[in-house]
Amino acid sequence: MSLTDTPSGLTDAQYNAAIQTALARIESTVDKWLEGDVIDIDTARSGGMLTMTMPNRSQLIINAQPPLHELWLAARRGGFHFKLDAQGRWLDTRSGEEFFALLSSCACEQGKPGLSF
């Protein structure tokens, strides 16, 4: 498969690196919150999927979709699909909203106001 044949225009290696960077950013932020006693969110990672269980037992699930070169978010308010843009931002395929902004909003709704990834 040539570069132009991939769903995102990225190589698989570039897509995988972007996914790992996004998941590591989320895990690092949650770890800081736990250490700072901001909020206790349980995380479980399996490959390209990260499940965050909030104190009220609701979940946020972030999942890599390698065949589509997308990043998916499942939250109480719905399911969202994101593609990486030329500036390195994950943008929702329907609304254009940036991934970390939407994740922060969902975390505030399901966890605690003021959370920001």
Side-chain angles (χ1 to χ4, degrees), residues 26-79:
I26 295 164
E27 289 175 313
S28 173
T29 301
V30 170
D31 287 346
K32 287 177 188 168
W33 290 338
L34 186 58
E35 290 168 8
D37 203 25
V38 174
I39 188 170
D40 185 6
I41 299 173
D42 291 328
T43 60
R45 186 166 172 186
S46 177
M49 184 170 77
L50 177 64
T51 302
M52 296 187 294
T53 304
M54 310 305 275
N56 63 7
R57 299 181 54 126
S58 69
Q59 293 184 327
L60 296 168
I61 301 170
I62 297 97
N63 195 9
Q65 292 296 316
L68 302 173
H69 280 197
E70 291 185 353
L71 179 63
W72 290 2
L73 168 64
R76 278 188 178 165
R77 76 159 83 159

